[in-house]
Amino acid sequence: MPNNHFKRGELYSFITGKASIAIARRLQKKFNGAGLNLTIEQWSVLYHLWKADGISQQELCKATFRDKPSITRLVDNLEKAGLVKRVASENDRRINCIYLTKQAQKLQQQSMDIAEETLNEALDTVDPEKIEICKQVLQVVYDNLK
Amino acid sequence: MPNNHFKRGELYSFITGKASIAIARRLQKKFNGAGLNLTIEQWSVLYHLWKADGISQQELCKATFRDKPSITRLVDNLEKAGLVKRVASENDRRINCIYLTKQAQKLQQQSMDIAEETLNEALDTVDPEKIEICKQVLQVVYDNLK
DNA sequence: TTTGGATAGTTGCACAAACAACTATATGCC
DNA sequence: GGCATATAGTTGTTTGTGCAACTATCCAAA
């Protein structure tokens, strides 16, 4: 029997990711409350564009851990909202480079502040060493399954 | 500045819950591979019915951390699949008691085994003490935000 | 140079989530 | 009894996800 054998009652919340769902909901509420008309999923795309503007949809797939159709539709909606635009690559016409609009650039500071605030609320009273261990475990889980 | 202040680069995967998404995808693939025609969300409803058959939709909302419309539709689909049936409560006709069919009872052992196997794969090589700390942290996160 | 395979992106479909607005039933209070 | 209010559940709409099938473009080898 593997040493990580799980007791029945402990299995559920690990699989369902209750904690990350709670974080996402809190963040969404804060976005709404701040008048940011933005879903968490859209924000996750902008997050990577703020780090590297003009990357392709394929690169957004890898970065956000989503499949191609999901990114197609997120970019569709971001484009409708006037936050990004698709520009066909000069070198390879299969590729769309995704560029932030000025409007999207304005959202960076505020939304990142809200995200950080949310995480601080989530991790309030938690020993920083335990947070570090938790992050390590989640990273190994991800690496084990990807 | 709170002692849990997050560095930018660390913020993203905590918020997006990459690890639990990876777990859910792996579990879904295993269900599909085993010929279980069942989504993870449907399984999460059955999970609670296996523990307490005949509970109401409202109780399923609390147990699965979902809102009422989500449960309505999950029960719709489970009912279509012949896995549960709605029975109006005798005492209070507003309430639907949700009962497992024989077909659903047969799925318990196999699907729980697969779930446990998935978690063991996810947590392979992780020190059990660290898993314990990780579970604690995630529980506190949940309690902080709920 | 043509052709076959790989890569980038899109579309259709089924399922699920969040929110608001709705129906039906129960309950408590006058 | 009758009305206000709370509770259980449903429905409509928008958004997102996963899968399969599709188009367009690129590239490399015959």
Side-chain angles (χ1 to χ4, degrees):
Chain A
M1 181 164 80
N3 69 349
N4 296 320
H5 188 80
F6 253 68
K7 295 192 202 76
R8 278 289 147 95
E10 302 174 341
L11 179 148
Y12 183 78
S13 59
F14 230 106
I15 284 186
T16 53
K18 270 171 41 173
S20 32
I21 291 174
I23 291 174
R25 286 186 189 161
R26 173 67 61 97
L27 182 58
Q28 184 69 68
K29 286 217 164 77
K30 281 176 179 284
F31 278 1
N32 296 344
L36 295 178
N37 203 7
L38 204 57
T39 67
I40 304 308
E41 294 83 2
Q42 290 166 0
W43 174 82
S44 78
V45 171
L46 296 182
Y47 179 95
H48 293 284
L49 293 173
W50 286 322
K51 291 200 299 186
D53 198 16
I55 62 179
S56 69
Q57 295 188 197
Q58 197 57 241
E59 288 168 310
L60 284 172
C61 290
K62 280 181 212 153
T64 64
F65 194 41
R66 289 183 168 84
D67 69 354
K68 293 189 293 177
S70 294
I71 291 297
T72 291
R73 274 135 187 168
L74 284 173
V75 172
D76 285 348
N77 284 337
L78 285 167
E79 209 168 25
K80 271 186 222 160
L83 295 173
V84 304
K85 52 180 194 291
R86 287 175 164 98
V87 179
S89 165
E90 295 279 317
N91 310 331
D92 185 340
R93 304 187 48 74
R94 292 172 302 180
I95 295 176
N96 287 339
C97 300
I98 310 300
Y99 288 98
L100 293 161
T101 64
K102 282 195 181 153
Q103 195 188 338
Q105 285 159 13
K106 285 187 217 150
L107 297 179
Q108 178 173 10
Q109 188 63 49
Q110 188 184 9
S111 66
M112 293 297 280
D113 287 350
I114 292 176
E116 188 150 337
E117 179 185 293
T118 303
L119 268 190
N120 286 331
E121 288 170 11
L123 294 166
D124 187 39
T125 76
V126 182
D127 177 357
E129 283 176 32
K130 291 190 175 178
I131 295 175
E132 196 49 47
I133 291 170
C134 187
K135 288 196 305 198
Q136 281 172 23
V137 170
L138 295 178
Q139 184 62 47
V140 174
V141 165
Y142 179 70
D143 292 336
N144 279 345
L145 298 182
K146 81 176 172 206
Chain B
M1 182 164 80
N3 69 349
N4 296 320
H5 188 82
F6 253 67
K7 295 193 201 76
R8 278 289 146 93
E10 302 175 341
L11 179 148
Y12 183 77
S13 58
F14 230 108
I15 284 186
T16 53
K18 269 172 42 175
S20 31
I21 292 174
I23 291 174
R25 285 185 190 162
R26 172 67 62 96
L27 182 58
Q28 184 68 68
K29 285 216 165 75
K30 281 177 179 284
F31 277 0
N32 297 345
L36 296 178
N37 203 8
L38 204 58
T39 67
I40 303 307
E41 295 83 3
Q42 290 166 1
W43 174 83
S44 79
V45 170
L46 296 182
Y47 179 95
H48 293 284
L49 293 173
W50 286 322
K51 290 200 299 184
D53 198 17
I55 62 179
S56 69
Q57 295 187 198
Q58 197 56 242
E59 288 168 310
L60 284 171
C61 290
K62 280 181 212 153
T64 64
F65 195 40
R66 289 182 169 84
D67 69 356
K68 292 188 295 176
S70 295
I71 291 298
T72 291
R73 274 135 185 167
L74 283 173
V75 172
D76 284 350
N77 285 336
L78 285 167
E79 209 168 25
K80 271 187 224 159
L83 295 173
V84 305
K85 53 180 193 291
R86 288 174 164 98
V87 178
S89 165
E90 295 280 316
N91 310 331
D92 185 339
R93 304 189 48 75
R94 292 172 303 180
I95 295 176
N96 288 338
C97 300
I98 310 301
Y99 288 97
L100 294 161
T101 63
K102 283 197 181 151
Q103 195 187 337
Q105 285 159 12
K106 285 187 216 148
L107 297 178
Q108 178 173 9
Q109 188 63 49
Q110 188 184 10
S111 67
M112 293 296 282
D113 287 349
I114 291 175
E116 188 150 336
E117 178 184 293
T118 303
L119 267 189
N120 285 331
E121 288 171 12
L123 293 166
D124 186 39
T125 75
V126 182
D127 177 356
E129 283 176 33
K130 291 190 176 179
I131 295 174
E132 196 48 48
I133 291 171
C134 187
K135 287 196 306 198
Q136 281 171 22
V137 171
L138 295 178
Q139 184 62 47
V140 174
V141 165
Y142 179 71
D143 292 336
N144 279 345
L145 298 181
K146 82 179 168 203

